[in-house]
mmCIF file of all heavy atoms in Angstrom:
data_model
loop_
_atom_site.group_PDB
_atom_site.id
_atom_site.type_symbol
_atom_site.label_atom_id
_atom_site.label_comp_id
_atom_site.label_asym_id
_atom_site.label_seq_id
_atom_site.Cartn_x
_atom_site.Cartn_y
_atom_site.Cartn_z
ATOM 1 N N ILE A 442 73.176 -4.571 -14.256
ATOM 2 C CA ILE A 442 71.735 -4.083 -14.399
ATOM 3 C C ILE A 442 70.949 -4.048 -13.164
ATOM 4 O O ILE A 442 70.088 -3.097 -13.012
ATOM 5 C CB ILE A 442 71.046 -5.049 -15.386
ATOM 6 C CG1 ILE A 442 69.718 -4.517 -15.837
ATOM 7 C CG2 ILE A 442 70.968 -6.345 -14.995
ATOM 8 C CD1 ILE A 442 69.754 -3.157 -16.538
ATOM 9 N N CYS A 443 71.151 -5.013 -12.125
ATOM 10 C CA CYS A 443 70.424 -4.965 -10.972
ATOM 11 C C CYS A 443 70.776 -3.691 -10.228
ATOM 12 O O CYS A 443 69.842 -3.030 -9.581
ATOM 13 C CB CYS A 443 70.655 -6.111 -10.151
ATOM 14 S SG CYS A 443 70.092 -7.712 -10.870
ATOM 15 N N LEU A 444 72.016 -3.285 -10.164
ATOM 16 C CA LEU A 444 72.395 -1.949 -9.499
ATOM 17 C C LEU A 444 71.752 -0.829 -10.088
ATOM 18 O O LEU A 444 71.046 0.069 -9.463
ATOM 19 C CB LEU A 444 73.885 -1.941 -9.477
ATOM 20 C CG LEU A 444 74.471 -0.409 -9.047
ATOM 21 C CD1 LEU A 444 74.113 -0.164 -7.596
ATOM 22 C CD2 LEU A 444 76.028 -0.343 -9.369
ATOM 23 N N ILE A 445 71.838 -0.639 -11.434
ATOM 24 C CA ILE A 445 71.389 0.400 -12.199
ATOM 25 C C ILE A 445 69.664 0.561 -12.025
ATOM 26 O O ILE A 445 69.231 1.647 -11.739
ATOM 27 C CB ILE A 445 71.718 0.253 -13.605
ATOM 28 C CG1 ILE A 445 73.162 0.305 -13.793
ATOM 29 C CG2 ILE A 445 70.986 1.416 -14.576
ATOM 30 C CD1 ILE A 445 73.673 0.105 -15.307
ATOM 31 N N MET A 446 69.058 -0.583 -12.220
ATOM 32 C CA MET A 446 67.720 -0.576 -11.974
ATOM 33 C C MET A 446 67.108 -0.261 -10.598
ATOM 34 O O MET A 446 66.070 0.340 -10.453
ATOM 35 C CB MET A 446 67.053 -1.925 -12.474
ATOM 36 C CG MET A 446 67.178 -2.191 -14.012
ATOM 37 S SD MET A 446 66.552 -0.903 -14.955
ATOM 38 C CE MET A 446 64.716 -1.129 -14.695
ATOM 39 N N SER A 447 68.031 -0.537 -9.589
ATOM 40 C CA SER A 447 67.672 -0.215 -8.214
ATOM 41 C C SER A 447 67.730 1.299 -7.930
ATOM 42 O O SER A 447 67.352 1.771 -6.906
ATOM 43 C CB SER A 447 68.616 -0.935 -7.241
ATOM 44 O OG SER A 447 69.920 -0.444 -7.239
ATOM 45 N N ARG A 448 68.392 2.020 -8.845
ATOM 46 C CA ARG A 448 68.596 3.470 -8.705
ATOM 47 C C ARG A 448 67.714 4.298 -9.695
ATOM 48 O O ARG A 448 67.871 5.461 -9.876
ATOM 49 C CB ARG A 448 70.042 3.813 -8.989
ATOM 50 C CG ARG A 448 71.023 3.212 -8.080
ATOM 51 C CD ARG A 448 70.864 3.700 -6.637
ATOM 52 N NE ARG A 448 71.960 3.236 -5.743
ATOM 53 C CZ ARG A 448 71.821 2.128 -4.974
ATOM 54 N NH1 ARG A 448 70.707 1.451 -4.979
ATOM 55 N NH2 ARG A 448 72.976 1.859 -4.257
ATOM 56 N N CYS A 449 66.690 3.616 -10.321
ATOM 57 C CA CYS A 449 65.802 4.407 -11.214
ATOM 58 C C CYS A 449 64.510 3.716 -11.336
ATOM 59 O O CYS A 449 64.296 2.505 -11.113
ATOM 60 C CB CYS A 449 66.485 4.550 -12.591
ATOM 61 S SG CYS A 449 66.628 3.029 -13.528
ATOM 62 N N LYS A 450 63.518 4.546 -11.948
ATOM 63 C CA LYS A 450 62.195 4.001 -12.240
ATOM 64 C C LYS A 450 62.189 3.581 -13.710
ATOM 65 O O LYS A 450 61.500 2.634 -14.102
ATOM 66 C CB LYS A 450 61.177 4.991 -11.924
ATOM 67 C CG LYS A 450 61.095 5.409 -10.585
ATOM 68 C CD LYS A 450 59.992 6.552 -10.386
ATOM 69 C CE LYS A 450 59.969 7.216 -8.967
ATOM 70 N NZ LYS A 450 59.151 8.255 -8.795
ATOM 71 N N GLN A 451 62.999 4.310 -14.549
ATOM 72 C CA GLN A 451 63.090 3.893 -15.896
ATOM 73 C C GLN A 451 64.550 3.897 -16.354
ATOM 74 O O GLN A 451 65.229 5.056 -16.026
ATOM 75 C CB GLN A 451 62.259 4.898 -16.847
ATOM 76 C CG GLN A 451 62.488 4.744 -18.338
ATOM 77 C CD GLN A 451 61.781 5.757 -19.137
ATOM 78 O OE1 GLN A 451 60.949 5.375 -20.052
ATOM 79 N NE2 GLN A 451 61.988 7.015 -18.789
ATOM 80 N N LEU A 452 65.065 3.077 -17.226
ATOM 81 C CA LEU A 452 66.351 3.061 -17.680
ATOM 82 C C LEU A 452 66.202 3.110 -19.323
ATOM 83 O O LEU A 452 65.502 2.354 -19.864
ATOM 84 C CB LEU A 452 67.151 1.823 -17.457
ATOM 85 C CG LEU A 452 68.558 1.639 -18.118
ATOM 86 C CD1 LEU A 452 69.473 2.738 -17.711
ATOM 87 C CD2 LEU A 452 69.126 0.181 -17.713
ATOM 88 N N ILE A 453 66.895 4.071 -19.900
ATOM 89 C CA ILE A 453 66.968 4.265 -21.325
ATOM 90 C C ILE A 453 68.431 3.870 -21.732
ATOM 91 O O ILE A 453 69.329 4.609 -21.361
ATOM 92 C CB ILE A 453 66.557 5.696 -21.768
ATOM 93 C CG1 ILE A 453 65.073 5.841 -21.347
ATOM 94 C CG2 ILE A 453 66.635 5.807 -23.275
ATOM 95 C CD1 ILE A 453 64.632 7.376 -21.616
ATOM 96 N N ILE A 454 68.442 2.884 -22.713
ATOM 97 C CA ILE A 454 69.880 2.699 -23.214
ATOM 98 C C ILE A 454 69.881 3.019 -24.602
ATOM 99 O O ILE A 454 68.990 2.644 -25.413
ATOM 100 C CB ILE A 454 70.112 1.134 -23.077
ATOM 101 C CG1 ILE A 454 69.954 0.699 -21.652
ATOM 102 C CG2 ILE A 454 71.464 0.829 -23.545
ATOM 103 C CD1 ILE A 454 70.087 -0.805 -21.467
ATOM 104 N N LYS A 455 70.813 3.824 -25.006
ATOM 105 C CA LYS A 455 70.976 4.200 -26.303
ATOM 106 C C LYS A 455 72.102 3.259 -26.906
ATOM 107 O O LYS A 455 73.330 3.347 -26.517
ATOM 108 C CB LYS A 455 71.477 5.631 -26.546
ATOM 109 C CG LYS A 455 71.855 5.992 -27.914
ATOM 110 C CD LYS A 455 72.450 7.425 -27.960
ATOM 111 C CE LYS A 455 73.042 7.771 -29.387
ATOM 112 N NZ LYS A 455 73.620 8.962 -29.374
ATOM 113 N N ALA A 456 71.722 2.266 -27.760
ATOM 114 C CA ALA A 456 72.663 1.294 -28.240
ATOM 115 C C ALA A 456 73.005 1.442 -29.678
ATOM 116 O O ALA A 456 72.356 2.055 -30.526
ATOM 117 C CB ALA A 456 72.027 -0.094 -27.920
ATOM 118 N N SER A 457 74.011 0.727 -30.049
ATOM 119 C CA SER A 457 74.587 0.705 -31.367
ATOM 120 C C SER A 457 73.543 0.174 -32.412
ATOM 121 O O SER A 457 72.976 -0.948 -32.146
ATOM 122 C CB SER A 457 75.972 -0.042 -31.500
ATOM 123 O OG SER A 457 76.209 -0.275 -32.984
ATOM 124 N N PRO A 458 73.371 0.707 -33.616
ATOM 125 C CA PRO A 458 72.501 0.085 -34.655
ATOM 126 C C PRO A 458 73.045 -1.149 -35.174
ATOM 127 O O PRO A 458 72.345 -1.918 -35.932
ATOM 128 C CB PRO A 458 72.461 1.157 -35.667
ATOM 129 C CG PRO A 458 73.756 2.011 -35.501
ATOM 130 C CD PRO A 458 74.061 2.013 -34.055
ATOM 131 N N MET A 459 74.350 -1.496 -34.930
ATOM 132 C CA MET A 459 74.900 -2.651 -35.325
ATOM 133 C C MET A 459 74.447 -3.969 -34.511
ATOM 134 O O MET A 459 74.563 -5.082 -34.878
ATOM 135 C CB MET A 459 76.411 -2.622 -35.209
ATOM 136 C CG MET A 459 77.054 -1.398 -35.963
ATOM 137 S SD MET A 459 76.724 -1.585 -37.764
ATOM 138 C CE MET A 459 77.589 -3.105 -38.236
ATOM 139 N N LEU A 460 73.818 -3.672 -33.243
ATOM 140 C CA LEU A 460 73.330 -4.779 -32.422
ATOM 141 C C LEU A 460 72.145 -5.411 -33.022
ATOM 142 O O LEU A 460 71.347 -4.798 -33.727
ATOM 143 C CB LEU A 460 73.075 -4.254 -31.061
ATOM 144 C CG LEU A 460 74.257 -3.561 -30.280
ATOM 145 C CD1 LEU A 460 73.717 -3.271 -28.828
ATOM 146 C CD2 LEU A 460 75.441 -4.470 -30.197
ATOM 147 N N ASP A 461 71.948 -6.720 -32.811
ATOM 148 C CA ASP A 461 70.775 -7.402 -33.202
ATOM 149 C C ASP A 461 69.651 -7.033 -32.154
ATOM 150 O O ASP A 461 69.888 -7.339 -30.987
ATOM 151 C CB ASP A 461 71.055 -8.902 -33.262
ATOM 152 C CG ASP A 461 69.801 -9.697 -33.659
ATOM 153 O OD1 ASP A 461 69.417 -9.774 -34.731
ATOM 154 O OD2 ASP A 461 69.142 -10.200 -32.582
ATOM 155 N N PRO A 462 68.601 -6.602 -32.543
ATOM 156 C CA PRO A 462 67.496 -6.180 -31.621
ATOM 157 C C PRO A 462 67.117 -7.358 -30.694
ATOM 158 O O PRO A 462 66.939 -7.178 -29.486
ATOM 159 C CB PRO A 462 66.347 -5.652 -32.414
ATOM 160 C CG PRO A 462 66.971 -5.338 -33.683
ATOM 161 C CD PRO A 462 68.165 -6.310 -33.902
ATOM 162 N N THR A 463 66.864 -8.529 -31.265
ATOM 163 C CA THR A 463 66.435 -9.703 -30.388
ATOM 164 C C THR A 463 67.530 -10.178 -29.468
ATOM 165 O O THR A 463 67.267 -10.454 -28.208
ATOM 166 C CB THR A 463 66.070 -10.929 -31.374
ATOM 167 O OG1 THR A 463 65.041 -10.455 -32.240
ATOM 168 C CG2 THR A 463 65.589 -12.062 -30.563
ATOM 169 N N ALA A 464 68.759 -10.098 -29.946
ATOM 170 C CA ALA A 464 69.827 -10.614 -29.063
ATOM 171 C C ALA A 464 70.101 -9.462 -27.970
ATOM 172 O O ALA A 464 70.412 -9.991 -26.791
ATOM 173 C CB ALA A 464 71.128 -10.784 -29.811
ATOM 174 N N ALA A 465 69.996 -8.290 -28.296
ATOM 175 C CA ALA A 465 70.202 -7.253 -27.223
ATOM 176 C C ALA A 465 69.163 -7.347 -26.107
ATOM 177 O O ALA A 465 69.518 -7.263 -25.021
ATOM 178 C CB ALA A 465 70.309 -5.910 -27.905
ATOM 179 N N ALA A 466 67.905 -7.568 -26.501
ATOM 180 C CA ALA A 466 66.913 -7.724 -25.705
ATOM 181 C C ALA A 466 67.026 -8.846 -24.738
ATOM 182 O O ALA A 466 66.683 -8.845 -23.464
ATOM 183 C CB ALA A 466 65.502 -7.722 -26.336
ATOM 184 N N ALA A 467 67.478 -10.020 -25.308
ATOM 185 C CA ALA A 467 67.744 -11.226 -24.577
ATOM 186 C C ALA A 467 68.750 -11.084 -23.381
ATOM 187 O O ALA A 467 68.636 -11.776 -22.405
ATOM 188 C CB ALA A 467 68.122 -12.376 -25.502
ATOM 189 N N GLU A 468 69.730 -10.160 -23.759
ATOM 190 C CA GLU A 468 70.777 -9.919 -22.674
ATOM 191 C C GLU A 468 70.041 -9.301 -21.388
ATOM 192 O O GLU A 468 70.675 -9.379 -20.293
ATOM 193 C CB GLU A 468 71.779 -8.995 -23.112
ATOM 194 C CG GLU A 468 72.715 -9.654 -24.239
ATOM 195 C CD GLU A 468 73.840 -8.725 -24.574
ATOM 196 O OE1 GLU A 468 74.737 -8.654 -23.823
ATOM 197 O OE2 GLU A 468 73.767 -8.250 -25.720
ATOM 198 N N LEU A 469 68.896 -8.706 -21.471
ATOM 199 C CA LEU A 469 68.230 -7.961 -20.369
ATOM 200 C C LEU A 469 66.886 -8.523 -20.231
ATOM 201 O O LEU A 469 65.976 -7.851 -19.852
ATOM 202 C CB LEU A 469 68.382 -6.512 -20.541
ATOM 203 C CG LEU A 469 69.685 -5.864 -20.761
ATOM 204 C CD1 LEU A 469 69.445 -4.434 -21.264
ATOM 205 C CD2 LEU A 469 70.433 -5.883 -19.270
ATOM 206 N N GLU A 470 66.716 -9.790 -20.515
ATOM 207 C CA GLU A 470 65.267 -10.461 -20.535
ATOM 208 C C GLU A 470 64.528 -10.259 -19.331
ATOM 209 O O GLU A 470 63.348 -10.316 -19.296
ATOM 210 C CB GLU A 470 65.496 -11.904 -21.107
ATOM 211 C CG GLU A 470 66.144 -12.716 -20.159
ATOM 212 C CD GLU A 470 66.223 -14.211 -20.734
ATOM 213 O OE1 GLU A 470 65.449 -14.478 -21.694
ATOM 214 O OE2 GLU A 470 67.008 -15.024 -20.107
ATOM 215 N N GLN A 471 65.253 -10.195 -18.152
ATOM 216 C CA GLN A 471 64.517 -10.083 -16.933
ATOM 217 C C GLN A 471 63.703 -8.907 -16.787
ATOM 218 O O GLN A 471 62.703 -8.778 -15.861
ATOM 219 C CB GLN A 471 65.476 -10.243 -15.654
ATOM 220 C CG GLN A 471 66.437 -9.132 -15.519
ATOM 221 C CD GLN A 471 67.691 -9.357 -16.198
ATOM 222 O OE1 GLN A 471 67.747 -9.715 -17.405
ATOM 223 N NE2 GLN A 471 68.927 -9.058 -15.475
ATOM 224 N N TYR A 472 64.106 -7.783 -17.509
ATOM 225 C CA TYR A 472 63.332 -6.607 -17.549
ATOM 226 C C TYR A 472 62.484 -6.240 -18.740
ATOM 227 O O TYR A 472 61.945 -5.352 -18.953
ATOM 228 C CB TYR A 472 64.195 -5.453 -17.298
ATOM 229 C CG TYR A 472 64.874 -5.423 -15.949
ATOM 230 C CD1 TYR A 472 66.208 -5.978 -15.718
ATOM 231 C CD2 TYR A 472 64.183 -4.880 -14.818
ATOM 232 C CE1 TYR A 472 66.776 -6.054 -14.473
ATOM 233 C CE2 TYR A 472 64.819 -5.049 -13.600
ATOM 234 C CZ TYR A 472 66.030 -5.559 -13.475
ATOM 235 O OH TYR A 472 66.554 -5.521 -12.194
#
Side-chain angles (χ1 to χ4, degrees):
I442 190 61
C443 292
L444 168 64
I445 297 171
M446 293 302 293
S447 72
R448 299 292 189 265
C449 66
K450 299 174 184 177
Q451 172 186 232
L452 172 63
I453 298 172
I454 304 172
K455 176 187 172 185
S457 166
M459 302 300 293
L460 299 184
D461 175 82
T463 301
E468 292 186 71
L469 298 167
E470 61 182 350
Q471 68 268 45
Y472 292 99

